[in-house]
């Protein structure tokens, strides 16, 4: 790794940059616009959020708080857990443990800096971790393996579906950092009784692990508060996503990104509820006035990303979609699969519910939430089995009136690359023009954003979509 990279901790640099961005919006509009000329390097990223108005500024401040929690955790006597986006942080917040979620931390570095997180990715390889693993973990993981972050106290993960690179990343980190480690496991089924019982037993064992390594006993009242807050959040998300069915779609193109990003940062915490409340106000107003969330006001097409989005510098994907009048109507990361979400009709078996009657029902509830996290839920078995990737993608495309479907991932997504062409063929047969992106969502060295954008342009043109 280049010597200059060792000068500052990765989490500290992110914290200071986001903190400064959040303060930009504290001045008047004139002051904010004037400041932009002094930050040419960060201008486009900052404008993505500031141009969103109150929800965007609120999101910046929530991210700042998330990073502040990390860099001040040990000063406050709290433990830090390294975890994955496939794991709801709710149980950590219920036990006053601070999460460091590798994938979302990688997104921040990829979107913020022109150099991205490639130095840290390569450092993992220098240590012996395979370069064909997922870049979403390696981007942040390399920093922590290099000692460029707050010290990790323990590691907790989900085996994200059949994703071996996710599981191996955390196992590698455990070995290298020599930290206590717990991995939730998942059977191939989602809705059968043996699978449900397995989730319950596994999660109870996880709680015993957390209690023994943090010295904190799970407080039922605190867990109930977190779950009640989660229910409130998903009710707001349900309203927003129901309005997303309207034509034109009243959601600005970045809103799905903010919905799942906020969930990964602060699920079950009031900070996320406040953010969603601000977003819902904008969406309701647009819907009542028949207004598209696209900046031009003209929705030309609606695209459903049936895997993940693209997170390189300045969040260029969303800018491209907005400039071309294409509504982003969600991805595999967007939907929570709670039982009262409108899109669950016809897929009730795959839903989770929240029951705060007593400690047993609450642990059952949070175990079911984790078993419905992205990838864990729909890529745990063959893509065309009930409740899996194909069924979910077609159902969501139909409900949200998609004009086309788009796949984007990383070369490390071996579990999806093994069947994505088969799935794309099935989606085409169902009537949806389908595009497979061949770049890396977190690493532009695989394919530059300019090349990715050119291929998107080609797809939309040749298929007669634009």
């Amino acid at each position: 790794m280049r010597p200059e990279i060792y000068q500052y901790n990765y989490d500290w640099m992110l914290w200071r940059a986001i903190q400064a961005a959040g303060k930009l919006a504290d001045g008047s509009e004139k002051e904010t616009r004037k400041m932009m000329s002094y930050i040419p390097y960060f201008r486009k990223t900052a404008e993505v959020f500031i141009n969103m108005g109150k929800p965007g500024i609120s999101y910046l401040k929530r991210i700042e708080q998330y990073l502040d929690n990390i860099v001040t955790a040990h000063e406050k006597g709290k433990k830090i857990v390294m975890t994955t986006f496939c794991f709801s942080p709710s149980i950590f917040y219920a036990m006053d443990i601070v999460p460091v979620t590798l994938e979302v931390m990688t997104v921040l570095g990829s979107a913020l800096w022109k150099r991205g997180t490639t130095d840290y990715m390569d450092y993992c390889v220098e240590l012996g971790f395979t370069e064909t693993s997922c870049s979403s973990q390696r981007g942040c993981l390399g920093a922590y393996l290099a000692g460029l972050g707050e010290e990790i106290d323990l590691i907790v993960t989900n085996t994200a579906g059949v994703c071996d690179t996710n599981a191996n990343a955390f196992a590698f980190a455990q070995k290298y950092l020599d930290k206590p480690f717990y991995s939730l496991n998942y059977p191939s089924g989602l809705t059968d009784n043996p699978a449900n019982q397995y989730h319950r037993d596994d999660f109870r064992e996880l709680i015993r692990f957390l209690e023994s390594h943090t010295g904190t006993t799970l407080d039922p009242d605190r867990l109930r508060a977190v779950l009640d807050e989660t229910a409130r959040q998903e009710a707001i998300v349900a309203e927003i996503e129901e309005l997303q069915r309207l034509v034109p779609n009243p959601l600005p193109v970045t809103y799905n990104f903010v919905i799942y990003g906020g969930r990964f940062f602060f699920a079950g915490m009031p900070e996320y509820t406040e953010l969603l409340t601000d977003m819902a106000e904008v969406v309701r107003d647009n819907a009542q006035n028949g207004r598209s969330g696209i900046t031009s006001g003209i929705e030309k097409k609606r695209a459903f990303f049936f895997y993940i989005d693209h997170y390189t510098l300045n969040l260029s994907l969303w800018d491209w979609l907005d400039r071309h009048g294409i509504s982003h109507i969600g991805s595999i990361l967007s939907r929570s699969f709670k039982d009262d979400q409108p899109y669950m009709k016809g897929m009730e078996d795959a839903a989770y519910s929240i029951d705060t009657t007593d400690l047993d029902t609450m642990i059952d509830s949070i175990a079911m939430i984790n078993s419905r996290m992205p990838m864990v839920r729909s890529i745990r078995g063959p893509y065309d089995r009930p409740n899996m990737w194909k069924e979910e993608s077609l159902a969501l495309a139909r409900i949200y009136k998609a004009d086309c479907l788009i796949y984007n991932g990383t070369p490390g997504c071996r579990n999806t690359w093994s069947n994505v062409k088969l799935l794309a063929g099935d989606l085409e047969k169902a009537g949806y023009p389908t595009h497979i992106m061949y770049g890396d969502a977190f690493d532009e060295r695989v394919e530059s954003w300019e090349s990715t954008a050119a291929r998107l342009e080609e797809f939309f043109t040749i298929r007669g979509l634009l």
Side-chain angles (χ1 to χ4, degrees), residues 172-199:
F172 187 91
Q174 185 279 327
K175 193 70 174 178
Y176 190 84
L177 298 174
D178 190 24
K179 299 296 180 183
F181 174 76
Y182 194 94
S183 175
L184 290 169
N185 295 306
Y186 289 95
S188 61
L190 179 67
T191 58
D192 54 281
N193 288 331
N196 289 336
Q197 188 60 49
Y198 190 96
H199 294 318

Side-chain angles (χ1 to χ4, degrees), residues 79-154:
K79 298 289 187 182
I80 297 178
V81 58
M82 177 183 284
T83 189
T84 174
F85 78 106
C86 305
F87 191 105
S88 172
S90 302
I91 189 65
F92 301 135
Y93 289 124
M95 298 183 70
D96 210 17
I97 303 168
V98 175
V100 171
T101 304
L102 291 186
E103 297 86 353
V104 298
M105 294 282 280
T106 297
V107 167
L108 293 179
S110 300
L112 200 59
W113 298 317
K114 191 172 183 179
R115 65 179 184 274
T117 58
T118 55
D119 289 278
Y120 307 116
M121 291 180 191
D122 292 348
Y123 185 71
C124 291
V125 181
E126 290 176 29
L127 297 180
F129 190 46
T130 172
E131 65 180 343
T132 58
S133 63
C134 184
S135 52
S136 68
Q137 284 99 40
R138 278 191 293 128
C140 175
L141 177 60
Y144 282 94
L145 296 182
L148 296 174
E150 286 296 311
E151 183 174 356
I152 299 298
D153 296 303
L154 59 160

Side-chain angles (χ1 to χ4, degrees), residues 312-378:
T312 48
L313 183 65
N314 300 328
L315 298 174
S316 300
L317 170 66
W318 288 271
D319 176 62
W320 189 92
L321 292 171
D322 193 54
R323 284 190 289 107
H324 287 76
I326 302 167
S327 282
H328 184 296
I329 56 170
S331 68
I332 194 174
L333 307 175
S334 307
R335 271 84 197 186
S336 70
F337 279 61
K338 191 172 179 299
D339 55 355
D340 55 1
Q341 303 289 352
Y343 53 79
M344 291 311 302
K345 290 180 180 177
M347 297 188 289
E348 289 84 355
D349 288 350
Y352 74 85
S353 59
I354 293 178
D355 182 348
T356 58
T357 304
D358 55 39
L359 182 58
D360 284 340
T361 63
M362 288 191 287
I363 292 176
D364 280 357
S365 298
I366 205 163
M368 292 303 117
I369 291 173
N370 267 277
S371 69
R372 269 65 177 174
M373 291 297 285
M375 290 178 60
V376 181
R377 175 188 67 245
S378 51

Side-chain angles (χ1 to χ4, degrees), residues 265-440:
F265 285 124
F266 279 119
M269 300 298 285
E271 291 89 340
Y272 183 41
T273 313
E274 181 183 338
L275 171 65
L276 291 171
T277 301
D278 290 342
M279 294 170 67
E281 287 181 12
V282 174
V283 175
R284 283 191 209 108
D285 186 57
N286 283 347
Q288 287 169 1
N289 290 286
R291 192 163 51 223
S292 165
I294 298 287
T295 301
S296 67
I298 301 172
E299 178 185 88
K300 296 178 180 176
K301 294 296 174 188
R302 302 160 71 95
F304 176 66
F305 285 68
F306 62 102
Y307 196 45
I308 64 174
D309 295 315
H310 196 280
Y311 308 100
T312 48
L313 183 65
N314 300 328
L315 298 174
S316 300
L317 170 66
W318 288 271
D319 176 62
W320 189 92
L321 292 171
D322 193 54
R323 284 190 289 107
H324 287 76
I326 302 167
S327 282
H328 184 296
I329 56 170
S331 68
I332 194 174
L333 307 175
S334 307
R335 271 84 197 186
S336 70
F337 279 61
K338 191 172 179 299
D339 55 355
D340 55 1
Q341 303 289 352
Y343 53 79
M344 291 311 302
K345 290 180 180 177
M347 297 188 289
E348 289 84 355
D349 288 350
Y352 74 85
S353 59
I354 293 178
D355 182 348
T356 58
T357 304
D358 55 39
L359 182 58
D360 284 340
T361 63
M362 288 191 287
I363 292 176
D364 280 357
S365 298
I366 205 163
M368 292 303 117
I369 291 173
N370 267 277
S371 69
R372 269 65 177 174
M373 291 297 285
M375 290 178 60
V376 181
R377 175 188 67 245
S378 51
I379 307 182
R380 65 167 61 195
Y383 81 97
D384 54 355
R385 283 187 60 189
N387 303 314
M388 294 295 153
W389 201 14
K390 174 184 171 182
E391 182 176 285
E392 171 186 314
S393 298
L394 284 171
L396 293 174
R398 182 178 64 255
I399 292 168
Y400 292 99
K401 304 179 179 69
D403 294 302
C404 61
L405 282 80
I406 298 174
Y407 169 89
N408 185 53
T410 82
C413 297
R414 290 190 284 270
N415 54 323
T416 57
W417 281 115
S418 68
N419 54 48
V420 69
K421 286 194 175 181
L422 297 173
L423 176 55
D426 291 339
L427 299 176
E428 289 276 357
K429 288 176 185 173
Y432 294 103
T434 303
H435 177 59
I436 298 175
M437 294 165 66
Y438 286 94
D440 187 313

